[in-house]
Amino acid sequence: MQKILLLMLLSISALAMHPSHADERLTPEQKDKLDTALAQRFASADVNSDGQVTRDEAKGLMPRVYKHFERIDADHNGAVTLEEIRQALKLLSTLK
């Protein structure tokens, strides 16, 4: 239950940017555009370009990822990947 509640608190802006949570009325092109925006935000936060965002890197550009970092970091390695964020969003979208 706690995990579900936490995932529900993820960024509305991040959710709106992810195709798995996008309204079913969106076209595939629109979903791709939203996923691209998420990937761009992730890349901007990934200051050292290692394909992972640490909690400190998330703080400025992905504040809700920062806030819920421990829950999104599925493998608990101290960094989140774009795929971990997508999986958290996907799980949240199934709760809708």
Side-chain angles (χ1 to χ4, degrees):
M1 181 70 169
Q2 183 182 6
K3 187 174 183 178
I4 291 170
L5 291 174
L6 180 60
L7 288 173
M8 291 176 70
L9 297 175
L10 284 172
S11 167
I12 291 173
S13 62
L15 291 174
M17 292 171 43
H18 194 271
S20 70
H21 188 73
D23 190 322
E24 291 78 22
R25 295 173 290 188
L26 293 178
T27 67
E29 293 81 18
Q30 290 169 319
K31 290 178 183 180
D32 286 344
K33 188 181 267 190
L34 293 173
D35 190 56
T36 298
L38 175 63
Q40 288 172 340
R41 178 172 273 192
F42 181 89
S44 294
D46 182 15
V47 237
N48 62 355
S49 301
D50 65 353
Q52 301 180 72
V53 170
T54 64
R55 185 178 172 130
D56 285 341
E57 288 175 322
K59 188 174 186 177
L61 291 172
M62 302 183 95
R64 288 178 181 81
V65 169
Y66 172 80
K67 183 177 179 180
H68 304 291
F69 193 85
E70 289 76 21
R71 302 263 162 76
I72 298 169
D73 183 13
D75 59 5
H76 307 289
N77 68 345
V80 296
T81 63
L82 183 55
E83 187 57 30
E84 284 175 311
I85 295 170
R86 286 178 175 146
Q87 288 302 314
L89 292 170
K90 184 177 179 180
L91 177 61
L92 181 59
S93 72
T94 65
L95 303 174
K96 185 178 175 184

Short mmCIF file of all heavy atoms in Angstrom, two decimals, residues 33-87:
data_model
loop_
_atom_site.label_atom_id
_atom_site.label_comp_id
_atom_site.label_asym_id
_atom_site.label_seq_id
_atom_site.Cartn_x
_atom_site.Cartn_y
_atom_site.Cartn_z
N LYS A 33 6.36 11.88 -28.88
CA LYS A 33 6.84 13.21 -28.53
C LYS A 33 6.95 13.37 -27.00
O LYS A 33 7.92 13.93 -26.49
CB LYS A 33 5.88 14.27 -29.09
CG LYS A 33 6.39 15.68 -28.95
CD LYS A 33 5.39 16.69 -29.50
CE LYS A 33 5.73 16.98 -30.94
NZ LYS A 33 4.95 18.12 -31.46
N LEU A 34 5.98 12.83 -26.28
CA LEU A 34 6.02 12.89 -24.81
C LEU A 34 7.18 12.07 -24.26
O LEU A 34 7.87 12.49 -23.33
CB LEU A 34 4.69 12.40 -24.22
CG LEU A 34 3.48 13.28 -24.50
CD1 LEU A 34 2.20 12.61 -24.02
CD2 LEU A 34 3.65 14.65 -23.85
N ASP A 35 7.41 10.90 -24.84
CA ASP A 35 8.52 10.08 -24.38
C ASP A 35 9.86 10.76 -24.69
O ASP A 35 10.79 10.70 -23.88
CB ASP A 35 8.46 8.69 -25.01
CG ASP A 35 9.46 7.75 -24.37
OD1 ASP A 35 9.40 7.58 -23.13
OD2 ASP A 35 10.31 7.20 -25.09
N THR A 36 9.93 11.41 -25.82
CA THR A 36 11.13 12.15 -26.19
C THR A 36 11.39 13.27 -25.19
O THR A 36 12.53 13.49 -24.78
CB THR A 36 11.01 12.72 -27.62
OG1 THR A 36 10.87 11.62 -28.53
CG2 THR A 36 12.21 13.55 -28.00
N ALA A 37 10.34 13.95 -24.77
CA ALA A 37 10.49 15.03 -23.79
C ALA A 37 11.01 14.48 -22.45
O ALA A 37 11.86 15.09 -21.81
CB ALA A 37 9.16 15.76 -23.59
N LEU A 38 10.50 13.33 -22.04
CA LEU A 38 10.99 12.70 -20.81
C LEU A 38 12.46 12.34 -20.96
O LEU A 38 13.27 12.61 -20.07
CB LEU A 38 10.17 11.45 -20.48
CG LEU A 38 10.65 10.64 -19.27
CD1 LEU A 38 10.57 11.46 -17.99
CD2 LEU A 38 9.84 9.36 -19.14
N ALA A 39 12.83 11.77 -22.09
CA ALA A 39 14.23 11.38 -22.34
C ALA A 39 15.14 12.62 -22.35
O ALA A 39 16.26 12.58 -21.83
CB ALA A 39 14.34 10.62 -23.65
N GLN A 40 14.65 13.72 -22.91
CA GLN A 40 15.44 14.94 -22.93
C GLN A 40 15.64 15.51 -21.53
O GLN A 40 16.74 15.96 -21.17
CB GLN A 40 14.79 15.98 -23.84
CG GLN A 40 14.90 15.64 -25.30
CD GLN A 40 14.09 16.56 -26.19
OE1 GLN A 40 13.16 17.25 -25.76
NE2 GLN A 40 14.43 16.57 -27.48
N ARG A 41 14.59 15.47 -20.73
CA ARG A 41 14.70 15.95 -19.35
C ARG A 41 15.68 15.07 -18.58
O ARG A 41 16.51 15.57 -17.82
CB ARG A 41 13.34 15.97 -18.67
CG ARG A 41 13.46 16.44 -17.22
CD ARG A 41 12.12 16.64 -16.61
NE ARG A 41 11.74 18.00 -16.93
CZ ARG A 41 10.73 18.63 -16.38
NH1 ARG A 41 9.98 18.02 -15.50
NH2 ARG A 41 10.45 19.85 -16.70
N PHE A 42 15.59 13.76 -18.79
CA PHE A 42 16.52 12.83 -18.15
C PHE A 42 17.95 13.15 -18.57
O PHE A 42 18.85 13.23 -17.72
CB PHE A 42 16.17 11.38 -18.51
CG PHE A 42 17.06 10.38 -17.87
CD1 PHE A 42 16.76 9.86 -16.62
CD2 PHE A 42 18.21 9.93 -18.51
CE1 PHE A 42 17.59 8.94 -16.01
CE2 PHE A 42 19.04 9.00 -17.91
CZ PHE A 42 18.73 8.50 -16.66
N ALA A 43 18.18 13.33 -19.87
CA ALA A 43 19.52 13.64 -20.37
C ALA A 43 20.05 14.94 -19.79
O ALA A 43 21.25 15.04 -19.47
CB ALA A 43 19.51 13.70 -21.90
N SER A 44 19.19 15.92 -19.61
CA SER A 44 19.61 17.19 -19.02
C SER A 44 20.02 17.01 -17.56
O SER A 44 20.97 17.64 -17.08
CB SER A 44 18.50 18.23 -19.11
OG SER A 44 18.25 18.56 -20.44
N ALA A 45 19.30 16.15 -16.86
CA ALA A 45 19.62 15.90 -15.45
C ALA A 45 20.87 15.04 -15.29
O ALA A 45 21.58 15.14 -14.29
CB ALA A 45 18.44 15.22 -14.76
N ASP A 46 21.17 14.23 -16.28
CA ASP A 46 22.32 13.33 -16.25
C ASP A 46 23.59 14.10 -16.62
O ASP A 46 24.14 13.96 -17.70
CB ASP A 46 22.08 12.16 -17.22
CG ASP A 46 23.21 11.15 -17.23
OD1 ASP A 46 24.05 11.17 -16.31
OD2 ASP A 46 23.24 10.34 -18.17
N VAL A 47 24.06 14.91 -15.67
CA VAL A 47 25.14 15.84 -15.95
C VAL A 47 26.43 15.18 -16.45
O VAL A 47 27.10 15.74 -17.29
CB VAL A 47 25.50 16.72 -14.73
CG1 VAL A 47 25.39 18.18 -15.04
CG2 VAL A 47 24.72 16.39 -13.51
N ASN A 48 26.75 14.02 -15.95
CA ASN A 48 27.99 13.37 -16.38
C ASN A 48 27.77 12.37 -17.52
O ASN A 48 28.68 11.64 -17.89
CB ASN A 48 28.68 12.68 -15.20
CG ASN A 48 27.86 11.58 -14.59
OD1 ASN A 48 26.72 11.35 -14.98
ND2 ASN A 48 28.43 10.90 -13.61
N SER A 49 26.57 12.33 -18.06
CA SER A 49 26.24 11.51 -19.24
C SER A 49 26.60 10.04 -19.09
O SER A 49 27.07 9.40 -20.03
CB SER A 49 26.93 12.08 -20.49
OG SER A 49 26.53 13.40 -20.72
N ASP A 50 26.34 9.48 -17.91
CA ASP A 50 26.64 8.06 -17.69
C ASP A 50 25.41 7.17 -17.83
O ASP A 50 25.45 5.98 -17.56
CB ASP A 50 27.30 7.84 -16.32
CG ASP A 50 26.39 8.18 -15.15
OD1 ASP A 50 25.28 8.71 -15.37
OD2 ASP A 50 26.80 7.91 -14.00
N GLY A 51 24.28 7.76 -18.26
CA GLY A 51 23.06 6.97 -18.45
C GLY A 51 22.29 6.73 -17.17
O GLY A 51 21.33 5.96 -17.16
N GLN A 52 22.71 7.39 -16.11
CA GLN A 52 22.04 7.27 -14.82
C GLN A 52 21.93 8.66 -14.20
O GLN A 52 22.77 9.52 -14.44
CB GLN A 52 22.86 6.39 -13.87
CG GLN A 52 23.11 5.00 -14.39
CD GLN A 52 23.92 4.20 -13.40
OE1 GLN A 52 23.42 3.82 -12.35
NE2 GLN A 52 25.18 3.98 -13.72
N VAL A 53 20.90 8.84 -13.39
CA VAL A 53 20.73 10.09 -12.66
C VAL A 53 20.81 9.77 -11.18
O VAL A 53 20.07 8.92 -10.67
CB VAL A 53 19.38 10.76 -13.01
CG1 VAL A 53 19.08 11.93 -12.09
CG2 VAL A 53 19.36 11.21 -14.46
N THR A 54 21.75 10.42 -10.52
CA THR A 54 21.86 10.27 -9.07
C THR A 54 20.82 11.16 -8.41
O THR A 54 20.21 12.02 -9.05
CB THR A 54 23.25 10.68 -8.57
OG1 THR A 54 23.43 12.09 -8.82
CG2 THR A 54 24.36 9.87 -9.23
N ARG A 55 20.65 10.96 -7.13
CA ARG A 55 19.69 11.79 -6.39
C ARG A 55 20.07 13.27 -6.51
O ARG A 55 19.21 14.12 -6.72
CB ARG A 55 19.62 11.35 -4.94
CG ARG A 55 18.57 12.08 -4.19
CD ARG A 55 18.47 11.62 -2.76
NE ARG A 55 17.56 12.56 -2.12
CZ ARG A 55 16.54 12.22 -1.40
NH1 ARG A 55 16.30 10.97 -1.16
NH2 ARG A 55 15.74 13.12 -0.89
N ASP A 56 21.35 13.58 -6.37
CA ASP A 56 21.79 14.98 -6.49
C ASP A 56 21.52 15.54 -7.89
O ASP A 56 21.13 16.69 -8.03
CB ASP A 56 23.27 15.11 -6.16
CG ASP A 56 23.54 15.00 -4.67
OD1 ASP A 56 22.60 15.17 -3.86
OD2 ASP A 56 24.70 14.73 -4.31
N GLU A 57 21.75 14.74 -8.92
CA GLU A 57 21.49 15.19 -10.29
C GLU A 57 20.00 15.44 -10.51
O GLU A 57 19.61 16.35 -11.24
CB GLU A 57 21.99 14.16 -11.31
CG GLU A 57 23.50 14.08 -11.43
CD GLU A 57 23.95 12.97 -12.34
OE1 GLU A 57 23.33 11.88 -12.35
OE2 GLU A 57 24.96 13.18 -13.05
N ALA A 58 19.16 14.63 -9.89
CA ALA A 58 17.71 14.77 -10.07
C ALA A 58 17.15 16.00 -9.37
O ALA A 58 16.11 16.51 -9.78
CB ALA A 58 17.00 13.51 -9.54
N LYS A 59 17.83 16.46 -8.35
CA LYS A 59 17.29 17.52 -7.50
C LYS A 59 16.81 18.74 -8.29
O LYS A 59 15.72 19.23 -8.05
CB LYS A 59 18.34 17.95 -6.47
CG LYS A 59 17.81 18.89 -5.44
CD LYS A 59 18.84 19.15 -4.37
CE LYS A 59 18.24 19.98 -3.25
NZ LYS A 59 19.22 20.18 -2.17
N GLY A 60 17.58 19.22 -9.23
CA GLY A 60 17.22 20.44 -9.94
C GLY A 60 16.19 20.26 -11.04
O GLY A 60 15.22 21.00 -11.12
N LEU A 61 16.39 19.27 -11.90
CA LEU A 61 15.55 19.14 -13.09
C LEU A 61 14.43 18.11 -12.96
O LEU A 61 13.50 18.11 -13.75
CB LEU A 61 16.42 18.79 -14.30
CG LEU A 61 17.34 19.91 -14.75
CD1 LEU A 61 18.30 19.41 -15.81
CD2 LEU A 61 16.54 21.09 -15.27
N MET A 62 14.54 17.23 -11.99
CA MET A 62 13.51 16.19 -11.81
C MET A 62 13.17 16.13 -10.32
O MET A 62 13.46 15.13 -9.64
CB MET A 62 14.02 14.85 -12.34
CG MET A 62 14.42 14.90 -13.81
SD MET A 62 14.94 13.30 -14.45
CE MET A 62 13.38 12.76 -15.16
N PRO A 63 12.56 17.19 -9.80
CA PRO A 63 12.35 17.29 -8.35
C PRO A 63 11.50 16.17 -7.76
O PRO A 63 11.73 15.76 -6.62
CB PRO A 63 11.69 18.65 -8.16
CG PRO A 63 11.16 19.03 -9.50
CD PRO A 63 12.04 18.36 -10.50
N ARG A 64 10.56 15.65 -8.49
CA ARG A 64 9.73 14.57 -7.93
C ARG A 64 10.45 13.23 -7.98
O ARG A 64 10.24 12.38 -7.13
CB ARG A 64 8.37 14.56 -8.58
CG ARG A 64 7.58 15.78 -8.08
CD ARG A 64 6.23 15.90 -8.70
NE ARG A 64 5.55 17.07 -8.20
CZ ARG A 64 5.75 18.31 -8.63
NH1 ARG A 64 6.64 18.55 -9.55
NH2 ARG A 64 5.05 19.30 -8.14
N VAL A 65 11.31 13.07 -8.96
CA VAL A 65 12.19 11.89 -8.95
C VAL A 65 13.11 12.00 -7.73
O VAL A 65 13.32 11.03 -7.02
CB VAL A 65 13.01 11.79 -10.27
CG1 VAL A 65 14.10 10.74 -10.15
CG2 VAL A 65 12.08 11.49 -11.45
N TYR A 66 13.63 13.19 -7.49
CA TYR A 66 14.46 13.43 -6.31
C TYR A 66 13.70 13.08 -5.03
O TYR A 66 14.21 12.37 -4.16
CB TYR A 66 14.90 14.89 -6.29
CG TYR A 66 15.61 15.32 -5.03
CD1 TYR A 66 16.95 15.02 -4.84
CD2 TYR A 66 14.94 16.01 -4.03
CE1 TYR A 66 17.61 15.40 -3.68
CE2 TYR A 66 15.58 16.39 -2.87
CZ TYR A 66 16.92 16.08 -2.70
OH TYR A 66 17.56 16.45 -1.54
N LYS A 67 12.49 13.55 -4.94
CA LYS A 67 11.69 13.35 -3.73
C LYS A 67 11.40 11.86 -3.48
O LYS A 67 11.38 11.41 -2.34
CB LYS A 67 10.38 14.12 -3.85
CG LYS A 67 9.50 14.03 -2.62
CD LYS A 67 8.26 14.88 -2.77
CE LYS A 67 7.38 14.75 -1.54
NZ LYS A 67 6.18 15.58 -1.65
N HIS A 68 11.17 11.09 -4.53
CA HIS A 68 10.79 9.68 -4.38
C HIS A 68 11.89 8.74 -4.88
O HIS A 68 11.63 7.61 -5.27
CB HIS A 68 9.49 9.43 -5.16
CG HIS A 68 8.39 10.33 -4.72
ND1 HIS A 68 7.79 10.22 -3.50
CD2 HIS A 68 7.81 11.38 -5.34
CE1 HIS A 68 6.87 11.16 -3.38
NE2 HIS A 68 6.87 11.88 -4.48
N PHE A 69 13.10 9.24 -4.82
CA PHE A 69 14.24 8.55 -5.42
C PHE A 69 14.39 7.10 -4.96
O PHE A 69 14.58 6.19 -5.77
CB PHE A 69 15.52 9.32 -5.11
CG PHE A 69 16.69 8.87 -5.91
CD1 PHE A 69 16.91 9.37 -7.18
CD2 PHE A 69 17.57 7.92 -5.42
CE1 PHE A 69 17.99 8.95 -7.94
CE2 PHE A 69 18.65 7.49 -6.17
CZ PHE A 69 18.85 8.01 -7.43
N GLU A 70 14.32 6.87 -3.67
CA GLU A 70 14.56 5.52 -3.14
C GLU A 70 13.56 4.51 -3.68
O GLU A 70 13.87 3.34 -3.86
CB GLU A 70 14.52 5.51 -1.61
CG GLU A 70 15.71 6.20 -0.95
CD GLU A 70 15.65 7.72 -1.01
OE1 GLU A 70 14.55 8.29 -1.20
OE2 GLU A 70 16.72 8.34 -0.89
N ARG A 71 12.36 4.94 -3.93
CA ARG A 71 11.33 4.03 -4.45
C ARG A 71 11.49 3.78 -5.95
O ARG A 71 11.16 2.72 -6.44
CB ARG A 71 9.95 4.58 -4.15
CG ARG A 71 9.71 4.79 -2.68
CD ARG A 71 8.99 3.60 -2.08
NE ARG A 71 9.08 3.50 -0.64
CZ ARG A 71 8.43 4.21 0.25
NH1 ARG A 71 7.62 5.15 -0.13
NH2 ARG A 71 8.59 4.00 1.54
N ILE A 72 11.97 4.78 -6.67
CA ILE A 72 12.16 4.63 -8.10
C ILE A 72 13.41 3.81 -8.40
O ILE A 72 13.45 3.05 -9.37
CB ILE A 72 12.22 6.02 -8.78
CG1 ILE A 72 10.90 6.76 -8.58
CG2 ILE A 72 12.53 5.87 -10.28
CD1 ILE A 72 10.95 8.22 -8.98
N ASP A 73 14.41 3.93 -7.56
CA ASP A 73 15.68 3.21 -7.72
C ASP A 73 15.46 1.73 -7.41
O ASP A 73 15.77 1.24 -6.33
CB ASP A 73 16.74 3.82 -6.80
CG ASP A 73 18.10 3.19 -6.94
OD1 ASP A 73 18.32 2.44 -7.92
OD2 ASP A 73 18.95 3.44 -6.07
N ALA A 74 14.95 1.01 -8.40
CA ALA A 74 14.51 -0.37 -8.21
C ALA A 74 15.63 -1.30 -7.75
O ALA A 74 15.40 -2.20 -6.95
CB ALA A 74 13.89 -0.91 -9.50
N ASP A 75 16.84 -1.09 -8.25
CA ASP A 75 17.94 -1.98 -7.86
C ASP A 75 18.77 -1.41 -6.71
O ASP A 75 19.78 -1.98 -6.32
CB ASP A 75 18.82 -2.32 -9.06
CG ASP A 75 19.43 -1.10 -9.72
OD1 ASP A 75 19.26 0.03 -9.20
OD2 ASP A 75 20.07 -1.27 -10.77
N HIS A 76 18.36 -0.28 -6.18
CA HIS A 76 19.00 0.34 -5.01
C HIS A 76 20.50 0.52 -5.18
O HIS A 76 21.27 0.26 -4.25
CB HIS A 76 18.66 -0.43 -3.73
CG HIS A 76 17.19 -0.64 -3.56
ND1 HIS A 76 16.34 0.40 -3.24
CD2 HIS A 76 16.43 -1.74 -3.69
CE1 HIS A 76 15.10 -0.07 -3.17
NE2 HIS A 76 15.12 -1.36 -3.45
N ASN A 77 20.89 0.99 -6.35
CA ASN A 77 22.32 1.21 -6.60
C ASN A 77 22.72 2.68 -6.47
O ASN A 77 23.83 3.05 -6.79
CB ASN A 77 22.71 0.68 -7.98
CG ASN A 77 22.11 1.47 -9.11
OD1 ASN A 77 21.18 2.26 -8.92
ND2 ASN A 77 22.62 1.27 -10.31
N GLY A 78 21.80 3.52 -6.03
CA GLY A 78 22.10 4.93 -5.83
C GLY A 78 21.93 5.79 -7.06
O GLY A 78 22.28 6.97 -7.04
N ALA A 79 21.40 5.22 -8.13
CA ALA A 79 21.15 5.97 -9.37
C ALA A 79 19.93 5.37 -10.05
O ALA A 79 19.64 4.18 -9.89
CB ALA A 79 22.36 5.90 -10.29
N VAL A 80 19.20 6.21 -10.78
CA VAL A 80 18.05 5.71 -11.54
C VAL A 80 18.35 5.86 -13.02
O VAL A 80 19.01 6.79 -13.45
CB VAL A 80 16.73 6.42 -11.17
CG1 VAL A 80 16.36 6.16 -9.73
CG2 VAL A 80 16.79 7.91 -11.44
N THR A 81 17.85 4.90 -13.77
CA THR A 81 17.97 4.96 -15.21
C THR A 81 16.65 5.46 -15.78
O THR A 81 15.63 5.48 -15.08
CB THR A 81 18.28 3.57 -15.80
OG1 THR A 81 17.18 2.70 -15.50
CG2 THR A 81 19.59 3.01 -15.24
N LEU A 82 16.68 5.82 -17.03
CA LEU A 82 15.45 6.23 -17.70
C LEU A 82 14.45 5.09 -17.67
O LEU A 82 13.25 5.30 -17.46
CB LEU A 82 15.76 6.66 -19.14
CG LEU A 82 14.60 7.19 -19.97
CD1 LEU A 82 13.89 8.35 -19.29
CD2 LEU A 82 15.10 7.60 -21.35
N GLU A 83 14.92 3.87 -17.81
CA GLU A 83 14.03 2.71 -17.79
C GLU A 83 13.39 2.54 -16.40
O GLU A 83 12.21 2.19 -16.30
CB GLU A 83 14.77 1.44 -18.19
CG GLU A 83 13.86 0.24 -18.33
CD GLU A 83 12.71 0.44 -19.34
OE1 GLU A 83 12.86 1.19 -20.31
OE2 GLU A 83 11.65 -0.16 -19.12
N GLU A 84 14.12 2.78 -15.33
CA GLU A 84 13.53 2.69 -13.99
C GLU A 84 12.42 3.73 -13.81
O GLU A 84 11.39 3.43 -13.21
CB GLU A 84 14.59 2.85 -12.91
CG GLU A 84 15.46 1.63 -12.73
CD GLU A 84 16.58 1.84 -11.74
OE1 GLU A 84 17.31 2.86 -11.83
OE2 GLU A 84 16.75 0.96 -10.86
N ILE A 85 12.64 4.92 -14.34
CA ILE A 85 11.60 5.95 -14.27
C ILE A 85 10.40 5.52 -15.09
O ILE A 85 9.25 5.63 -14.65
CB ILE A 85 12.15 7.31 -14.72
CG1 ILE A 85 13.24 7.79 -13.76
CG2 ILE A 85 11.02 8.34 -14.82
CD1 ILE A 85 14.00 9.00 -14.24
N ARG A 86 10.65 5.01 -16.29
CA ARG A 86 9.54 4.55 -17.13
C ARG A 86 8.76 3.42 -16.45
O ARG A 86 7.53 3.38 -16.52
CB ARG A 86 10.07 4.06 -18.48
CG ARG A 86 10.48 5.18 -19.39
CD ARG A 86 11.05 4.65 -20.68
NE ARG A 86 11.34 5.73 -21.62
CZ ARG A 86 12.36 5.71 -22.46
NH1 ARG A 86 13.17 4.68 -22.51
NH2 ARG A 86 12.55 6.73 -23.27
N GLN A 87 9.46 2.51 -15.80
CA GLN A 87 8.78 1.41 -15.11
C GLN A 87 7.93 1.93 -13.95
O GLN A 87 6.81 1.45 -13.73
CB GLN A 87 9.79 0.37 -14.62
CG GLN A 87 10.40 -0.45 -15.72
CD GLN A 87 9.36 -1.21 -16.53
OE1 GLN A 87 8.45 -1.82 -15.99
NE2 GLN A 87 9.49 -1.15 -17.85
#
